[in-house]
Amino acid sequence: QVQVVESGGGLVQAGGSLRLSCAASGRTFSSSYMGWFRQAPGKEREFVAAIRWSGGITYYADSVKGRFTISRDNAKNTVYLQMNSLKPDDTAVYYCAVRLTAYIPGNTLRSVSEYDYWGQGTQVTVSS
């Protein structure tokens, strides 16, 4: 069984920064990539960023590109999301997702259906 645990959320003023962490444990040796999604009140869950374990190729939503950075630590089986220049619109519950099997050509890493396990989420609130 795979366990996914996020941490690092909190309350921050606009323009501030936060760093989220996501640690995956259990049967994760075959994992190919991990990603971050977020969901604000009254809105659908949306893609934020993703990273492939092999090569560290990254993917970003247009709304966060240039402000957020996703990275990985293979030894710790952990991914991070550094969030800078935060805006009130970034307020949401942030979820970490894990792909357990191999990357398949055609995968966009932007779809919920391309992930197998999810964390409980961590709240990020940005005040103006």
Side-chain angles (χ1 to χ4, degrees):
Q1 192 68 33
V2 174
Q3 185 174 26
V4 184
V5 180
E6 304 109 325
S7 62
L11 175 64
V12 64
Q13 292 185 325
S17 299
L18 284 174
R19 187 185 188 228
L20 306 184
S21 298
C22 176
S25 61
R27 299 176 179 270
T28 62
F29 59 89
S30 60
S31 178
S32 56
Y33 53 81
M34 295 178 66
W36 287 96
F37 291 76
R38 67 187 183 186
Q39 187 166 20
K43 296 185 177 181
E44 295 183 350
R45 182 164 46 181
E46 66 174 347
F47 170 77
V48 177
I51 186 167
R52 290 167 63 177
W53 288 108
S54 180
I57 300 171
T58 58
Y59 304 73
Y60 295 97
D62 290 340
S63 60
V64 306
K65 199 168 188 177
R67 298 189 297 121
F68 292 9
T69 302
I70 188 170
S71 61
R72 76 201 199 286
D73 185 330
N74 287 269
K76 297 181 179 180
N77 213 241
T78 299
V79 296
Y80 306 93
L81 185 67
Q82 178 65 47
M83 305 184 293
N84 298 326
S85 301
L86 284 163
K87 307 173 182 179
D89 285 348
D90 294 319
T91 296
V93 176
Y94 283 69
Y95 297 93
C96 178
V98 178
R99 167 77 169 222
L100 261 293
T101 54
Y103 167 82
I104 300 174
N107 286 163
T108 67
L109 279 69
R110 298 171 179 268
S111 175
V112 169
S113 66
E114 295 182 0
Y115 295 84
D116 303 299
Y117 287 90
W118 296 79
Q120 78 291 155
T122 184
Q123 177 71 49
V124 172
T125 302
V126 184
S127 62
S128 60

